[in-house]
């Protein structure tokens, strides 16, 4: 459990672009550049759930065709959410047509260019190796994107004197046109975001939380759900956090039966996401509305001058602080807002209909426009966060410094990410306990510790700076103290813990020896007899499939699922003829609740059968069987499940590789 930090004072004021850049200032009570001391405490004996890289996301940030930035700039960040809808793009034919409204409230060259943008971005971002999720922003396809032309523009569900009622007929046509294209292209939409920042007139030029707004919301909800029953509807995506406004929204959607599946808002005004999430949970409980996933789908305070890193949160320390507080608040997903960068290449005018905010490959401003392969201080912050995996553990924040801690036995690494949003510098300490509960991390009572500094450079950064690397003796009660100097305000630090016996110079493992390791060789239709695999026991309870419910294949189109309509036991395996040596088996897995047993197994290799259990969780996790010493020239590896009716697990990207 984190301790509560003093929040920034926040004043809301709207500025330009799809991102609301409020004029929030730091509170006068907050110390500035003051040397002091602070301690963050980590308890690796107290797990707080699966780590899911919440906050590793962006509001826009790919090129219009979806091809840039390159994979090696995206994959290390583990970005898993991309939000957008083609904002500020003009006509497909070069005309000034501005989306649906600019085409005369029909599908024309303006709307089609934006739909093409969506198709390209969704396909790139949801495919390997990124395997992310896309949030579709409907108002950008309508044309309300802060740059719409002036005049008497129609809004969805405007009043009709002729009908004497709100007229949503054209809006329904608009929604069905989008749904048709989504289904034709087989796009995987994580959630449908109805209206960006409806509390700002530049996006919703009517009154928010009034009759027309709610008519628009209900129409979008019911139209999409009628066509795609399992679609997730998200909102209200307010620009400014207002409990009173949220209360009014929740009262309406409960009464109308249009409660969203994802509750979304923005964190651009310097607020604490963990505190905001607790407020929302209270509002839901008061109305007896079950809690749903939360998404802060634009975050970070950009300040009055976003290019001045000293006056805003666009720096490593503040970014890490926000990521840490998202984890504490159990916010399911979040997307960094859109910001320019001090190193943007402005020597060439943008292409027709292209702005820094919506169609350039800048990963929402963590790399500069015109320099899509240049790594910056904020890029390295997200890359360090991307290194984290496994299970999240309890952190008690200091008075100034926040932290997130993870440990992953499969990856043989524990980590702590440290952030600061209050201009801290001075003596810092990470106090760690519970290492006795992670025996794989230590050897002979020792653990290797590396501390990296990510300096607030406001520009290019070749790599983080390693400030300490040592082997530390763990006390008998499983504790260590890690003191270091926090050099400068707005830096971030990443602490890496590994087993001292790990050999950083060891050769990489060899090629994957399994046939059809991703279960792709049989096509998308699904089969109970995947190429290369054998089965024992209840043969009809193991089959390949793609997306079902909330879970899709980790990569490609297929995964192997083990499930049954009654009690079932199944073992799916391969037997390999291999040279004697040491091997490693790894697999990515997801699993529902309740199985009697589910595990990967290695046997018949000249040693005892070894197993690694599949953990419960619907986000893909990597598990490992290491150091399989083959002495008889053969090895059987597979996955087994014993469960009751309706219980299931899935596996993908199974690998067996020789280590030595």
């Amino acid at each position: 459990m984190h301790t509560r930090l003093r929040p920034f004072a926040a004043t809301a004021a709207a500025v330009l672009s799809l991102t609301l850049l409020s004029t929030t200032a730091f509170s006068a009570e907050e110390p500035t550049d003051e040397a002091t001391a602070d301690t963050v405490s980590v308890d690796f004996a107290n797990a707080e759930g699966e780590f899911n890289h919440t906050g590793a996301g962006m509001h826009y940030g790919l090129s219009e065709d979806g091809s840039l930035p390159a994979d090696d700039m995206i994959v290390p960040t583990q970005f898993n959410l991309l939000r957008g809808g083609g904002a500020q793009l003009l006509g497909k034919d070069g005309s000034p047509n501005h989306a649906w409204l600019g085409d005369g409230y029909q599908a024309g060259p303006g709307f089609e260019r934006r739909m093409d943008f969506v198709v390209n971005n969704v396909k790139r971002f949801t495919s390997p190796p990124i395997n992310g999720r896309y949030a579709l922003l409907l108002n950008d396809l309508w044309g309300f994107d802060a740059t719409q032309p002036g005049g008497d523009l129609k809004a969805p569900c405007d009043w009709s004197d002729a009908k004497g009622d709100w007229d949503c007929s054209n809006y329904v046509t608009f929604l069905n046109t989008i749904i048709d294209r989504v289904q034709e292209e087989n796009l995987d939409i994580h959630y449908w975001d109805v209206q960006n920042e409806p509390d700002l007139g530049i996006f919703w030029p009517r009154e928010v939380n009034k009759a027309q707004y709610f008519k628009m919301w209900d129409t979008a909800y019911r139209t999409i759900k009628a066509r795609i029953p399992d679609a997730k509807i998200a909102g209200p995506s307010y620009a400014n956090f207002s409990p009173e406004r949220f209360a009014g929204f929740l009262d309406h959607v409960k009464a109308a039966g249009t409660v969203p599946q994802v509750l979304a808002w923005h964190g651009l005004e310097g607020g604490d996401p963990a505190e905001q999430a607790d407020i929302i949970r209270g509002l839901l409980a008061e109305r007896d509305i079950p809690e749903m996933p939360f998404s802060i789908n634009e975050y970070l305070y950009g300040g009055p001058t976003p290019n001045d890193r000293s006056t805003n949160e666009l720096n490593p320390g503040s970014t890490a602080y926000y990521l840490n507080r998202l984890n504490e608040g159990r916010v399911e997903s979040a997307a960094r807002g859109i910001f320019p960068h001090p190193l943007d290449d402005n020597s060439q005018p943008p292409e027709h209909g292209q702005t820094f905010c919506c169609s350039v490959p800048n990963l929402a401003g963590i790399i500069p426009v015109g320099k899509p392969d240049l790594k910056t201080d904020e890029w390295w912050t997200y890359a360090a966060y991307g290194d984290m995996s496994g299970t999240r553990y309890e952190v008690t924040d200091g008075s100034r410094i926040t932290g997130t801690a993870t440990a992953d036995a499969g990856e043989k690494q524990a980590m702590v990410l440290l952030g600061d949003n209050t201009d801290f510098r001075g003596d810092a300490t990470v106090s760690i306990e519970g290492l006795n509960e992670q025996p794989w991390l230590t050897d002979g009572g020792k653990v290797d510790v590396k501390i990296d500094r990510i300096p607030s450079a406001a520009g290019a950064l070749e790599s983080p700076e390693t400030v300490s690397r040592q082997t530390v003796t763990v006390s008998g009660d499983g504790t260590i103290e890690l003191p270091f100097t926090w050099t400068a305000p707005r830096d971030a630090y990443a602490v890496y813990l590994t087993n001292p016996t790990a050999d950083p110079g060891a050769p990489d493992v060899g090629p994957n020896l399994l046939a059809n390791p991703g279960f792709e060789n049989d096509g998308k239709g699904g089969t109970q007899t995947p190429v290369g695999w054998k089965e024992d026991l209840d043969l009809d309870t193991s089959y390949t499939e793609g997306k079902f419910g909330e879970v899709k294949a980790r990569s490609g189109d297929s995964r192997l699922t083990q499930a049954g309509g009654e009690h079932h036991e199944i073992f799916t395996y391969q037997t390999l003829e291999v040279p004697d040596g040491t091997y490693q088996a790894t697999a990515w897995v997801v699993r529902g609740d309740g199985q009697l047993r589910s595990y990967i197994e290695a046997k018949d290799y000249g040693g005892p059968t070894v197993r690694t259990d599949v953990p419960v969780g619907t986000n893909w996790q990597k598990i490992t069987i290491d150091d399989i010493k083959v002495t008889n020239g053969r090895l059987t590896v597979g996955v087994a499940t014993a469960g009751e009716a309706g219980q299931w697990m899935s596996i993908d990207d199974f690998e067996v590789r020789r280590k030595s």
Side-chain angles (χ1 to χ4, degrees), residues 227-446:
R227 296 279 306 274
I228 310 174
D230 64 348
K232 295 180 182 178
I233 311 301
S237 297
Y238 292 137
N240 298 293
F241 187 80
S242 166
E244 294 76 17
R245 190 175 291 126
F246 255 112
F249 174 80
L250 293 173
D251 287 341
H252 171 82
V253 296
K254 180 180 181 182
T258 57
V259 176
Q261 286 69 55
V262 177
L263 201 58
W265 69 94
H266 290 176
L268 300 160
E269 77 287 359
D272 182 336
E275 293 181 357
Q276 292 174 349
D278 283 345
I279 291 170
I280 296 300
R281 290 187 178 95
L283 294 174
L284 292 170
E286 289 171 4
R287 289 156 178 79
D288 197 28
I289 300 175
E291 186 176 329
M292 69 285 286
F294 296 164
S295 184
I296 301 182
N297 50 29
E298 291 186 53
Y299 72 80
L300 289 183
Y301 162 58
T305 51
N307 276 320
D308 180 3
R309 260 37 182 183
S310 67
T311 64
N312 55 49
E313 294 180 339
L314 309 181
N315 56 72
S318 297
T319 297
Y321 160 89
Y322 207 91
L323 293 171
N324 294 338
R325 298 303 291 166
L326 284 167
N327 279 285
E328 172 63 10
R330 306 192 310 280
V331 176
E332 194 273 340
S333 66
R336 173 191 168 88
I338 307 168
F339 302 103
H341 194 278
L343 296 180
D344 282 347
D345 180 1
N346 298 314
S347 61
Q348 298 294 323
E351 296 179 8
H352 176 70
Q354 183 186 68
T355 72
F356 83 86
C357 86
C358 309
S359 57
V360 292
N362 64 348
L363 303 185
I366 68 170
I367 58 178
V369 173
K371 302 171 184 177
D373 58 352
L374 190 150
K375 297 174 181 177
T376 66
D377 51 359
E378 287 190 277
W379 186 91
W380 284 108
T381 306
Y382 284 104
Y385 190 62
D387 286 339
M388 306 183 82
S389 61
T391 300
R392 188 168 63 88
Y393 287 86
E394 182 184 271
V395 173
T396 301
D397 290 332
S399 61
R400 310 283 287 279
I401 304 172
T402 65
T404 294
T406 61
D408 189 336
E411 295 294 330
K412 300 184 181 299
Q413 177 175 271
M415 278 190 67
V416 185
L417 180 69
L418 303 170
D420 149 56
N421 210 20
T422 59
D423 285 335
F424 174 79
R425 62 183 175 89
D427 297 327
T429 301
V430 182
S431 179
I432 297 177
E433 60 182 288
L435 289 176
N436 289 345
E437 299 299 317
Q438 311 293 336
W440 53 270
L441 194 55
T442 61
D443 184 71
K446 298 182 182 299

Side-chain angles (χ1 to χ4, degrees), residues 510-625:
N512 189 8
L513 302 175
L514 291 177
N516 193 15
F519 307 97
E520 302 294 327
N521 293 10
D522 305 282
K524 298 182 181 180
T527 179
Q528 291 184 337
T529 56
V531 171
W533 295 88
K534 298 180 179 180
E535 294 181 333
D536 282 340
L537 305 173
D538 300 324
L539 305 186
D540 61 347
T541 60
S542 180
Y543 49 88
T544 63
E545 63 177 348
K547 182 178 180 181
F548 185 82
E550 298 301 312
V551 181
K552 63 178 180 179
R554 178 183 176 269
S555 65
D557 297 311
S558 298
R559 56 184 164 129
L560 181 77
T561 294
Q562 294 181 337
E566 55 188 25
H567 177 82
H568 57 278
E569 297 183 19
I570 182 68
F571 181 50
T572 305
Y573 67 96
Q574 292 186 32
T575 297
L576 308 172
E577 302 294 330
V578 295
D580 290 353
T582 302
Y583 293 78
Q584 177 189 77
T586 63
W588 289 85
V589 293
V590 289
R591 173 183 167 187
D593 292 325
Q595 283 93 339
L596 303 176
R597 191 77 190 275
S598 189
Y599 52 84
I600 61 170
E601 179 178 273
K603 64 180 182 179
D604 302 335
Y605 59 89
T609 297
V610 288
R611 297 168 175 169
T612 296
D613 287 340
V614 174
V616 173
T618 55
N619 288 326
W620 288 98
Q621 300 182 65
K622 187 178 182 181
I623 60 175
T624 301
I625 301 176

